[in-house]
Amino acid sequence: MTITKESATGIKPFLKWAGGKTQLLPAIEAKVLKLLRAKETIHFVEPFVGSGAVLFFMLRKYGRHIGKATINDVNPVLAGCYRTIKYNPQELINVLGALEKQYFTYTSEDDRRAFFLEKRIEFNGLDGDVVQKSALLLFLNKTCFNGLYRVNSKGHFNVPFGKYANPTICNAPVILANSEALQKVEILNTDFSEMERLIAPHTFFYLDPPYKPISATSSFNAYAKEGFGDADQERLKTFCDKANNGGAYFVQSNSDNSNADEGSGFFQNLYKGYNIEQVKAKRAINAKGSGRGAVFELLISNDAVLQ
Ligand SMILES: C[S@@+](CC[C@H](N)C(=O)[O-])C[C@H]1O[C@@H](n2cnc3c(N)ncnc32)[C@H](O)[C@@H]1O
């Protein structure tokens, strides 16, 4: 099946995810246009895909320039969910649709919370049934507090109930349109460093790692129980150097720590010699209400490879 204009509009993130990049899209698009002036067809690679705001934007708007795409996330449930959408969309819709139907048979908040907690226990104990696990991930994502994905030290999802009046739990048109779009996308589940083998002059890496917290308490980055610390940020810099030396183009978003008490100028020092732009963004998901509002983020890239 080819992507028609109508179905292309349904190509968009199917999950809410902390650090979703919708707000940075105009700045990222400017980089993409620069790249497409230099190269007709690219291999799009997203090593930290999350909910895939940039992936789906690229597939929707620049799909004809993407010869091939590869996405990766260290979170196995997330990677399993992408694979389920790619290979078993109808089965997923059936299971998720049944969960949605049952959820809406409960009218009181207490009953809905009890059902949510029951499904959260089922999700944490489930191993092996990827379609069921993916359906539960989507169900919990749409009904939990702020659409967060957070795990405890045992790797158990522990976000509380979200109290939404009328959440869309099973969005079949989006699942089907994404399934079609994902047919040319390879889905991996490993550490970002494994993407080194994809470095080539036509490769475009969009890198969106868990951000370095602006202060010790400001931010949340427990997407995975392993976390992502300064040593990982430095490993990512080594990855970027290799990509640059191999002629690949990379664009990385990260937090702007230039006004932070600690770690001030961390990325400016680490990425000396690369392009660093400050971009205004509003954080939609933050553990503390006080953390909402305009903040700056950084876009780091190696535009020199395009000249
Ligand atoms: C900031 S989020 C990406 C958000 C994404 N751009 C979006 O639009 O939703 C970072 C992602 O990196 C993943 N991650 C954390 N450590 C990783 C690692 N070492 N290798 C690959 N992925 C990792 C997390 O599971 C998380 O989904």
Side-chain angles (χ1 to χ4, degrees):
M1 214 198 300
T2 50
I3 294 173
T4 60
K5 215 171 173 192
E6 207 169 276
S7 64
T9 55
I11 303 174
K12 58 183 177 195
F14 51 87
L15 287 169
K16 287 196 203 174
W17 209 249
K21 281 292 97 64
T22 308
Q23 300 196 38
L24 286 191
L25 284 178
I28 294 168
E29 183 171 24
K31 298 281 183 190
V32 170
L33 290 172
K34 235 177 180 178
L35 169 68
L36 295 181
R37 274 198 290 274
K39 321 231 176 234
E40 176 71 14
T41 310
I42 56 169
H43 178 186
F44 176 76
V45 184
E46 195 166 351
F48 304 89
V49 72
S51 63
V54 175
L55 165 78
F56 290 117
F57 169 77
M58 291 294 294
L59 290 171
R60 197 170 62 232
K61 196 153 176 194
Y62 296 103
R64 69 179 193 283
H65 296 282
I66 299 180
K68 194 180 161 211
T70 306
I71 57 171
N72 174 66
D73 201 286
V74 78
N75 182 329
V77 190
L78 183 60
C81 193
Y82 274 97
R83 289 188 184 127
T84 302
I85 290 183
K86 178 174 175 178
Y87 297 112
N88 300 95
Q90 198 51 56
E91 222 184 307
L92 177 69
I93 289 168
N94 295 345
V95 179
L96 189 57
L99 282 168
E100 178 177 73
K101 205 166 159 203
Q102 199 178 346
Y103 181 83
F104 286 119
T105 59
Y106 303 113
T107 46
S108 78
E109 198 181 299
D110 283 350
D111 286 348
R112 286 183 176 185
R113 180 185 289 104
F115 183 62
F116 168 88
L117 292 174
E118 191 188 301
K119 292 297 153 190
R120 198 176 73 176
I121 291 170
E122 185 184 336
F123 174 79
N124 283 323
L126 190 69
D127 213 6
D129 186 341
V130 183
V131 173
Q132 181 73 13
K133 187 107 181 170
S134 303
L136 286 169
L137 173 70
L138 285 164
F139 170 77
L140 294 172
N141 181 261
K142 300 299 161 114
T143 52
C144 76
F145 177 75
N146 260 355
L148 284 175
Y149 187 89
R150 189 186 59 202
V151 292
N152 62 17
S153 57
K154 290 185 190 142
H156 286 170
F157 177 82
N158 65 0
V159 179
F161 181 60
K163 296 186 200 167
Y164 296 108
N166 202 12
T168 303
I169 295 171
C170 181
N171 194 334
V174 167
I175 291 173
L176 292 172
N178 286 342
S179 181
E180 208 178 309
L182 286 171
Q183 295 308 311
K184 66 172 167 189
V185 180
E186 187 186 7
I187 302 159
L188 303 175
N189 170 223
T190 181
D191 184 67
F192 71 86
S193 58
E194 300 285 321
M195 306 299 107
E196 263 178 47
R197 64 183 168 80
L198 304 176
I199 294 172
H202 65 291
T203 304
F204 169 40
F205 288 105
Y206 173 62
L207 304 161
D208 186 26
Y211 282 10
K212 178 175 163 58
I214 293 176
S215 71
T217 52
S218 70
S219 181
F220 136 93
N221 68 3
Y223 300 97
K225 61 183 189 309
E226 297 79 13
F228 201 85
D230 285 0
D232 296 299
Q233 297 288 356
E234 279 156 20
R235 283 196 308 124
L236 181 55
K237 162 63 166 48
T238 306
F239 179 94
C240 289
D241 287 340
K242 288 182 183 165
N244 185 51
N245 292 338
Y249 184 49
F250 77 82
V251 173
Q252 177 186 161
S253 30
N254 219 316
S255 52
D256 181 10
N257 294 61
S258 49
N259 295 317
D261 307 339
E262 315 152 35
S264 157
F266 179 86
F267 293 107
Q268 281 80 357
N269 288 329
L270 195 58
Y271 284 93
K272 247 180 218 142
Y274 290 109
N275 284 26
I276 305 184
E277 284 168 34
Q278 249 189 346
V279 185
K280 203 172 175 182
K282 230 197 213 152
R283 292 281 64 183
I285 295 183
N286 192 306
K288 282 187 187 170
S290 61
R292 286 163 205 253
V295 292
F296 288 94
E297 302 202 0
L298 299 177
L299 269 194
I300 306 166
S301 57
N302 61 336
D303 294 14
V305 292
L306 303 178
Q307 267 111 56

